[in-house]
Amino acid sequence: MTFYVSTPIYYVNARPHLGHAYTTIVADVVRRFQSMRDSQTYFLTGTDEHGDKVVQAAQKQGVSPRVYVDQISRLFRDLWPELNVRPDRFIRTTDSDHMAVVTEVLRKIHAAGDIYFSEYEGLYCFGCERFYAERELQEGRCPIHESEPELIRESNYFFRMSRYQGWLIDHLQSHPDFIRPERYRNEVLAFLREPLGDLCISRPKTRLTWGIPLPFDEAYVTYVWFDALLNYVSALGYPDGELFHRFWPAAQHIVAKDILKPHGIYWPCMLKAAGIPVYRHLNVHGYWNIEQRKMSKSLGNVIEPLEMRNVYGLDAFRYFLIREMTFGLDANFSESAMVQRINADLANDLGNLFSRVLSMTHKYFDGAVPELDPEVGRQYGLGLGPDARRTVDEYERAMEAFELHKALAAVWEFIGRMNRAIDIAAPWELAKKPATRKQLEAVIHSLLKGLRLISGLIYPVMPDTAARMQTHLGLDPEALYYALRDLRLWKPVPSGTRLPKTVMLFPRIEAAGEPAGASPAPPAAERGPETKPEATLEDFQRIDLRVATVLSAEPVPKAKKLLKLEVDLGERRTIVSGIAAHYTPEALVGRQVVIIANLRPVKLMGVVSQGMLLTAESEDGPVLILPEKPVAPGSGLR
RNA sequence: GGCGAUGUAGCUCAGUUGGUCAGAGCAUGCGGCUCAUAUCCGCAGUGUCCGGGGUUCAAAUCCCUGCAUCGCCA
């Protein structure tokens, strides 16, 4: 069996956030699941780097598109290993092999007559550098610039997608799970009830140069679709690559619902036109809302995946994402929900189960797995075998169907079954009398067996925890302990195995400093008019406050209020601050100030500022916040 | 505005083809155990199944309509 999983290539106009992390972790989970069944796997992710939004973002930062995309792309590439995600390839649409494939496929489809040249007429806003459909306009004006767009004509190349509509409908009908969950298949079918238009696939170089040139017309570059979607085959070395032959078309694409149409309609049509077999499944997931609201930069509620990992632990974070979201539907992300899940599912159910079983093994058998007569085992064991089998069956079915939350629910049902079995068997009673020693041995054997199974099943979602469990069961964490075939064998932890000292897998998270029953944030009306919404300690810790020594200071030319400071906080930083009206450069040099060190860089009067100086707002203007006595440059604050 | 989806206990959500379907987990209350991370086990509630119409012997489940939220509209 081969299994090829992909995430979308992420557009580099923003830093990676929770949504990116979720999609990519899902891909990692299903890939690890496939490795449990001996599948050969290939895992692709990467970045989408062409287009006008990238050019604009680069301009804003005052750098070339190349420098800009290198910078953002690296943020994505470096993030994944931090989340225990290791793709086989990180593709960039600026990679030369990818660009060559795009060129080749365009040439081929053009030669076959499915790309044609045509005039396009539309309402164009020069401010936005884009066309608007009439219904997008507000009272005939651009919703952003409030200016009246102009009617312009532009010639462009079009992909004859309409030709493949009938084929695609047939394919969707003969492959009911081509797009899943079903709701998204229905959505695509609904869309296909209307005649499909053709797809504009180019931009004139007069408007956009940051793209892949069309092989049949040097005056144009490719516009998004062929450039981006073809990454799924170019990464494998289409058309002749060994990987391509091995893994295509066993492809599982994973996308969020906002890009359903390109992946569910454009991409299959493109593949068909190029004579490439269509991919196997498109798996569509919903959105994470943050504290009931949409995640957006302007709301300031962007969740930083690394921050979550640092605060709650990587496996707990991965578990929460996979367990909390019904794959396909939207879900809410909140730290309080995560704490609840960690305490209830991980600390209480799993962690405590693990702890009680291991501690009993230590207490009653001195940490060595007891000998067991098979007959005694049959008679006095907990009879978990049938449950174990049902659990593995449901787990495998759900994983296979991308119902990842259900796969975890199945494992936790088994965990609950084990906790109940312990109460009924009451090993602490059996331990009191020598007469029930044999029964005690059988019970402990059953329980260790159960833990062994659980550690295998949680491997895709919580690989580190799975390995820790193996270690503490005296087993080899380097082995393929999670092979599904072996897990079905319901194997015991061998008698005589010595168990290391037990550990807490997941400590409970207690509400920090809050007395029990403390009410949540009071309604805004009860607070002072100037207070901001309640922030958690984690919110505060997100801000990197540091002491910096001012090395030099000079006015910014033509700016009345701005000073450009060079500061030392362990490294050199340039900071632009609006305090020129109240502080002279001389008054600052050599002093220690407090800055926000992880603020997004901004360009002020042509100078990039890599931080912000902290000042108090007074009626006489800004007043510097200074340490009471000298400290090492770069010292953190709390 | 058009297309589509979602709206079920305090919270997050299951509910296949209309008939023990009014459920689960968490949170809450009470009881039990003591191996365990103040953990575990048992019991107990609470619901105009978004509102309004309709079809039917029977609707959370089908139809119409309204409201709210989300996605897409090259």
Side-chain angles (χ1 to χ4, degrees):
Chain A
M1 282 286 284
T2 56
F3 182 86
Y4 171 36
V5 64
S6 73
T7 74
I9 42 175
Y10 301 119
Y11 202 52
V12 291
N13 65 341
R15 303 163 52 82
H17 56 62
L18 180 67
H20 301 117
Y22 174 73
T23 311
T24 313
I25 286 172
V26 166
D28 183 63
V29 168
V30 298
R31 148 8 186 253
R32 285 178 191 269
F33 167 69
Q34 289 297 330
S35 71
M36 292 171 78
R37 358 153 76 175
D38 297 333
S39 296
Q40 281 193 354
T41 61
Y42 197 83
F43 174 7
L44 176 71
T45 188
T47 43
D48 181 7
E49 306 186 2
H50 289 127
D52 47 7
K53 286 204 181 98
V54 163
V55 175
Q56 285 164 19
Q59 271 168 359
K60 209 177 276 179
Q61 278 203 13
V63 297
S64 71
R66 165 61 66 182
V67 169
Y68 176 80
V69 298
D70 283 352
Q71 193 182 319
I72 306 287
S73 179
R74 173 177 292 276
L75 291 177
F76 282 91
R77 197 187 55 203
D78 290 350
L79 175 61
W80 306 135
E82 299 294 321
L83 300 177
N84 228 335
V85 172
R86 287 183 180 73
D88 293 298
R89 175 164 178 187
F90 186 93
I91 194 172
R92 303 177 56 184
T93 52
T94 50
D95 286 341
S96 58
D97 63 334
H98 170 72
M99 292 172 69
V101 168
V102 171
T103 304
E104 182 50 38
V105 171
L106 282 170
R107 193 197 313 276
K108 189 172 166 183
I109 294 180
H110 183 250
D114 274 345
I115 289 175
Y116 62 91
F117 192 59
S118 173
E119 199 160 71
Y120 181 93
E121 188 182 76
L123 295 163
Y124 189 80
C125 170
F126 282 89
C128 303
E129 297 185 17
R130 60 162 284 197
F131 286 93
Y132 276 97
E134 275 188 46
R135 54 177 172 263
E136 290 179 278
L137 299 173
Q138 290 173 358
E139 291 167 12
R141 289 167 180 276
C142 163
I144 294 166
H145 294 85
E146 295 182 2
S147 57
E148 220 165 288
E150 293 181 39
L151 189 67
I152 68 166
R153 279 160 186 249
E154 189 174 283
S155 294
N156 262 311
Y157 286 88
F158 289 80
F159 168 51
R160 219 180 286 279
M161 190 162 69
S162 50
R163 175 181 282 184
Y164 299 98
Q165 176 165 12
W167 164 81
L168 181 55
I169 292 171
D170 287 347
H171 187 80
L172 281 161
Q173 264 150 8
S174 56
H175 299 78
D177 60 354
F178 180 61
I179 297 175
R180 57 191 182 184
E182 196 179 12
R183 48 168 50 80
Y184 295 110
R185 169 179 183 261
N186 293 341
E187 192 164 327
V188 167
L189 280 170
F191 189 79
L192 289 171
R193 281 199 295 269
E194 305 295 320
L196 201 52
D198 288 338
L199 199 58
C200 181
I201 59 154
S202 68
R203 287 290 181 268
K205 277 191 181 165
T206 49
R207 266 217 287 144
L208 177 70
T209 55
W210 183 243
I212 302 174
L214 293 186
F216 37 81
D217 190 337
E218 284 293 316
Y220 287 85
V221 298
T222 310
Y223 171 69
V224 65
W225 312 117
F226 277 82
D227 184 334
L229 291 164
L230 280 167
N231 90 87
Y232 299 126
V233 294
S234 72
L236 298 179
Y238 169 83
D240 299 318
E242 193 267 328
L243 288 172
F244 182 75
H245 289 125
R246 183 146 32 122
F247 288 106
W248 194 267
Q252 301 271 351
H253 296 313
I254 302 175
V255 300
K257 64 182 181 180
D258 57 333
I259 49 175
L260 172 63
K261 202 188 284 186
H263 284 80
I265 297 178
Y266 309 165
W267 177 225
C269 291
M270 286 164 56
L271 285 167
K272 185 69 180 167
I276 305 173
V278 73
Y279 59 81
R280 192 147 297 158
H281 290 299
L282 178 64
N283 305 283
V284 186
H285 67 76
Y287 264 28
W288 283 101
N289 294 315
I290 308 300
E291 312 282 355
Q292 311 293 335
R293 307 185 67 177
K294 190 179 172 175
M295 176 163 61
S296 77
K297 271 183 284 183
S298 51
L299 282 173
N301 61 355
V302 175
I303 297 290
E304 294 283 347
L306 275 184
E307 191 62 32
M308 292 300 104
R309 180 202 68 169
N310 293 343
V311 174
Y312 296 102
L314 177 55
D315 277 5
F317 178 53
R318 288 174 57 116
Y319 173 80
F320 178 80
L321 292 183
I322 301 300
R323 180 65 186 81
E324 188 74 3
M325 178 176 268
T326 300
F327 191 88
L329 298 176
D330 290 358
N332 290 308
F333 187 96
S334 75
E335 293 192 45
S336 62
M338 183 143 74
V339 168
Q340 269 187 15
R341 281 253 178 239
I342 290 171
N343 283 345
D345 296 359
L346 298 182
N348 294 354
D349 290 348
L350 173 58
N352 182 59
L353 171 67
F354 188 71
S355 165
R356 67 199 300 209
V357 172
L358 262 57
S359 101
M360 284 191 280
T361 312
H362 277 281
K363 204 161 188 166
Y364 305 143
F365 298 102
D366 205 21
V369 181
E371 294 297 327
L372 181 68
D373 182 298
E375 188 50 41
V376 173
R378 266 191 291 280
Q379 196 176 345
Y380 296 116
L382 295 175
L384 294 170
D387 287 292
R389 194 158 37 248
R390 267 197 299 280
T391 302
V392 177
D393 287 346
E394 167 61 7
Y395 172 89
E396 186 173 21
R397 185 207 63 75
M399 278 288 194
E400 177 76 10
F402 265 75
E403 295 172 4
L404 310 183
H405 58 294
K406 285 192 183 171
L408 285 178
V411 176
W412 258 257
E413 253 178 60
F414 184 71
I415 289 171
R417 173 81 175 77
M418 282 183 65
N419 271 323
R420 283 189 290 279
I422 293 177
D423 267 46
I424 292 166
W428 49 93
E429 293 296 334
L430 302 176
K432 286 177 183 166
K433 292 166 285 188
T436 47
R437 187 73 182 172
K438 290 274 178 220
Q439 291 186 39
L440 181 62
E441 290 172 3
V443 166
I444 294 295
H445 255 272
S446 288
L447 292 172
L448 290 170
K449 236 187 211 183
L451 291 180
R452 180 174 190 169
L453 174 66
I454 291 165
S455 82
L457 295 180
I458 64 170
Y459 162 77
V461 177
M462 299 193 284
D464 290 343
T465 303
R468 281 175 81 201
M469 286 180 70
Q470 286 289 305
T471 302
H472 284 86
L473 290 170
L475 303 168
D476 180 6
E478 302 296 320
L480 283 175
Y481 58 86
Y482 41 80
L484 212 47
R485 194 194 305 137
D486 292 342
L487 294 179
R488 284 188 186 286
L489 295 179
W490 186 230
K491 289 198 289 196
V493 179
S495 297
T497 305
R498 297 215 60 91
L499 307 189
K501 195 168 176 297
T502 178
V503 287
M504 266 201 231
L505 289 178
F506 297 98
R508 278 183 65 87
I509 300 171
E510 306 298 342
E514 296 280 336
S519 57
E526 293 177 21
R527 282 186 254 121
E530 299 298 326
T531 28
K532 297 179 180 175
E534 181 178 83
T536 63
L537 186 61
E538 288 73 38
D539 290 332
F540 173 71
Q541 284 168 343
R542 215 164 283 157
I543 308 295
D544 190 12
L545 293 171
R546 289 183 185 279
V547 175
T549 306
V550 179
L551 302 171
S552 67
E554 57 179 311
V556 175
K558 290 191 225 168
K560 280 182 197 155
K561 292 184 180 171
L562 300 183
L563 284 184
K564 177 184 166 190
L565 311 177
E566 293 293 322
V567 301
D568 174 17
L569 42 56
E571 62 185 64
R572 271 180 86 98
R573 288 279 186 95
T574 302
I575 296 207
V576 180
S577 183
I579 56 171
H582 300 86
Y583 289 87
T584 61
E586 298 73 41
L588 291 167
V589 174
R591 302 193 80 154
Q592 289 202 311
V593 295
V594 176
I595 67 160
I596 304 176
N598 61 342
L599 204 62
R600 186 171 313 210
V602 293
K603 204 167 169 183
L604 299 168
M605 293 298 283
V607 185
V608 176
S609 178
Q610 304 162 307
M612 186 175 122
L613 206 57
L614 248 53
T615 59
E617 294 174 326
S618 83
E619 288 181 8
D620 304 324
V623 176
L624 281 175
I625 308 295
L626 307 170
E628 187 261 330
K629 56 185 175 189
V631 298
S635 297
L637 269 72
R638 61 177 184 176

